[in-house]
Amino acid sequence: MQRVENLLKLEKAGVIAVVRGETAEKATKIADAVIAGGVKGIELTFTVPQADKVIADLVARYGDTDAVIGAGTVLDATTARLAIMAGAQFVVSPSFDAAVAKMCNLYQIPYTPGCMTITEMQTALEAGADLIKLFPGSVAGPGMVKAVLAPFPQLSIMPTGGVNLENMHEWFAAGVTAVGAGSNLVGPADHDDFAGVTENAKKYMAELKRIKAAK
């Protein structure tokens, strides 16, 4: 039931921070800062040098908590297996890849492919994708979520790109399961302001709590 547990953790987290960094050390600091602020979902991208080692370190330190550590920018099955062997609890791609879906199914790890069209989403569902990453969210908008959920009410959607504190409530009102937050959340890290990242994370969690209480 590992797959189900990880999916429930993702849904409970509500906000998934997309963590990038020029070095493994910086990416680790960003992830620590995000978690310190209460955001429990981490998508550590494979654009980070030695990403698998960073994932392994984060899983070792946070694996027994309610945090959920995943791998992002996974473009092929080899990278997916590397991430899974490092302990990644979910795998995210910018686009759908059948070989990655197969690898994730084999190891019972949730796969979240980036999709933009109804056809891509249906293809991903047929391949066993658990959570669809609506990407880029800034281009699609919350209206796309409502439109898609009409013919596919069974779909779980996580928009990434274009999600911020001001519009997060619109995404959840449209019916998303979780949201992915990148530069709007971790932006202060560009200037090594990790305390600023933690403060942003606190604001995101306060807004999520407000949204869920209003439902």
Side-chain angles (χ1 to χ4, degrees):
M1 299 301 285
Q2 165 184 272
R3 186 178 193 147
V4 175
E5 283 170 22
N6 289 343
L7 281 167
L8 289 172
K9 273 188 166 187
L10 277 167
E11 186 173 2
K12 189 180 175 189
V15 176
I16 312 302
V18 181
V19 176
R20 303 181 186 278
E22 309 89 67
T23 65
E25 292 76 21
K26 185 164 184 176
T28 301
K29 283 183 180 177
I30 296 170
D32 287 340
V34 165
I35 291 173
V39 170
K40 303 296 186 184
I42 301 290
E43 178 193 324
L44 195 289
T45 71
F46 260 80
T47 54
V48 173
Q50 297 178 304
D52 57 322
K53 291 188 173 69
V54 179
I55 289 167
D57 169 60
L58 293 172
V59 170
R61 290 190 291 121
Y62 297 111
D64 293 331
T65 70
D66 55 354
V68 57
I69 312 296
T73 323
V74 175
L75 304 179
D76 52 66
T78 304
T79 307
R81 189 174 187 280
L82 195 62
I84 293 164
M85 292 301 106
Q89 293 163 295
F90 63 99
V91 167
V92 184
S93 300
S95 56
F96 171 72
D97 185 88
V100 173
K102 207 169 179 180
M103 185 65 71
C104 290
N105 283 337
L106 178 62
Y107 289 100
Q108 287 296 284
I109 296 294
Y111 177 43
T112 304
C115 297
M116 190 66 177
T117 67
I118 298 280
T119 303
E120 287 173 344
M121 290 175 194
Q122 181 167 337
T123 302
L125 279 179
E126 289 169 356
D130 303 282
L131 180 63
I132 300 297
K133 170 181 169 177
L134 180 60
F135 180 75
S138 54
V139 175
M144 177 71 171
V145 176
K146 281 185 179 174
V148 167
L149 288 178
F152 292 108
Q154 75 276 26
L155 201 60
S156 292
I157 298 175
M158 177 180 77
T160 301
V163 176
N164 56 47
L165 280 170
E166 288 70 40
N167 67 18
M168 200 161 85
H169 69 282
E170 294 175 25
W171 288 105
F172 279 100
V176 302
T177 300
V179 295
S183 56
N184 289 315
L185 169 57
V186 302
D190 292 347
H191 314 291
D192 293 330
D193 177 12
F194 301 105
V197 174
T198 298
E199 281 309 305
N200 275 355
K202 286 178 181 174
K203 289 174 186 171
Y204 268 83
M205 291 321 288
E207 178 63 6
L208 181 67
K209 194 175 177 182
R210 188 192 70 75
I211 290 166
K212 292 198 169 177
K215 273 192 172 182

